[in-house]
Amino acid sequence: MHVTRVHAAVCSERELPGPSLIMLDISVREWQIAGVAAGVALAAGAALWWLNRKRPTADEIERERRQVLSSYGRIVDGSLLDGFQVTAEDGTTRDMLLYGYEISGVVYECSQDITPLRELFDPTQIKLGMPCSIRYLPSSPENSILVAERWSGLREGLPVVWPPIENDEHGANHRRPIFD
């Protein structure tokens, strides 16, 4: 039996135009140490940012919730049940509205702090016991609002009741609203 071995080696050295590449003589272990040091520095920077970042206040979180509900919430009829004031832990007085509504046979009673909205609504002028409109999230019906910066579910007064059409002596049709 005759075995032939063929070695083919294609080696060519040619010079590349431009500056020559300089290879760093760094071992694998040194690269691992450098990678770990970079990772630790990145984690330390992220932790420092996390601890020093500006956290939103409770009023900012509530304002964002109202904006989401006024933009995407569904509207349902409800009743304005009560208006009252609560003293917060920091000693400030907060104006609250209590309202109720029903969705799919479930009755919800919620309250909303309207203190940040004082320049838009005068709490003393709100008529209690009146029907109102409520905005809620369909995925979370208990998450609801009665008033927001760009929307209000409060109604101005009783709706105008129109009597049936009456003919006058000339045969003209007239409707006159009934006011209480």
Side-chain angles (χ1 to χ4, degrees):
M1 209 167 175
H2 183 60
V3 177
T4 308
R5 292 185 180 170
V6 177
H7 293 279
V10 178
C11 295
S12 68
E13 285 188 29
R14 57 183 170 172
E15 297 217 7
L16 298 173
S20 63
L21 297 175
I22 300 173
M23 293 203 47
L24 299 175
D25 190 23
I26 299 177
S27 68
V28 172
R29 181 75 176 151
E30 289 170 337
W31 280 110
Q32 289 173 345
I33 291 171
V36 168
V40 168
L42 184 65
L48 189 62
W49 171 80
W50 178 261
L51 293 173
N52 291 329
R53 73 184 178 6
K54 181 184 177 287
R55 292 176 184 86
T57 64
D59 285 339
E60 291 171 341
I61 292 170
E62 178 63 17
R63 185 180 316 110
E64 186 172 337
R65 184 183 80 87
R66 286 193 307 264
Q67 287 175 351
V68 167
L69 283 165
S70 65
S71 297
Y72 302 109
R74 287 189 185 166
I75 299 175
V76 67
D77 287 330
S79 296
L80 185 55
L81 303 175
D82 194 10
F84 56 95
Q85 291 184 335
V86 175
T87 304
E89 293 175 0
D90 60 358
T92 60
T93 302
R94 310 295 278 185
D95 293 316
M96 306 290 284
L97 291 177
L98 180 67
Y99 56 93
Y101 57 101
E102 182 178 344
I103 300 172
S104 300
V106 179
V107 177
Y108 296 92
E109 283 188 8
C110 301
S111 63
Q112 181 180 353
D113 181 6
I114 60 167
T115 306
L117 304 171
R118 278 186 183 158
E119 62 261 358
L120 301 174
F121 307 101
D122 183 11
T124 61
Q125 299 299 317
I126 295 174
K127 298 174 181 146
L128 301 176
M130 296 295 292
C132 58
S133 297
I134 311 295
R135 280 197 182 252
Y136 71 96
L137 287 180
S139 60
S140 179
E142 68 278 357
N143 187 3
S144 61
I145 58 170
L146 179 61
V147 292
E149 289 81 3
R150 297 181 300 145
W151 181 81
S152 174
L154 298 173
R155 299 187 183 155
E156 294 296 320
L158 290 174
V160 175
V161 178
W162 294 94
I165 297 175
E166 297 176 6
N167 293 329
D168 64 5
E169 64 273 356
H170 302 290
N173 294 335
H174 292 283
R175 285 190 175 183
R176 295 182 188 212
I178 298 174
F179 296 104
D180 292 328

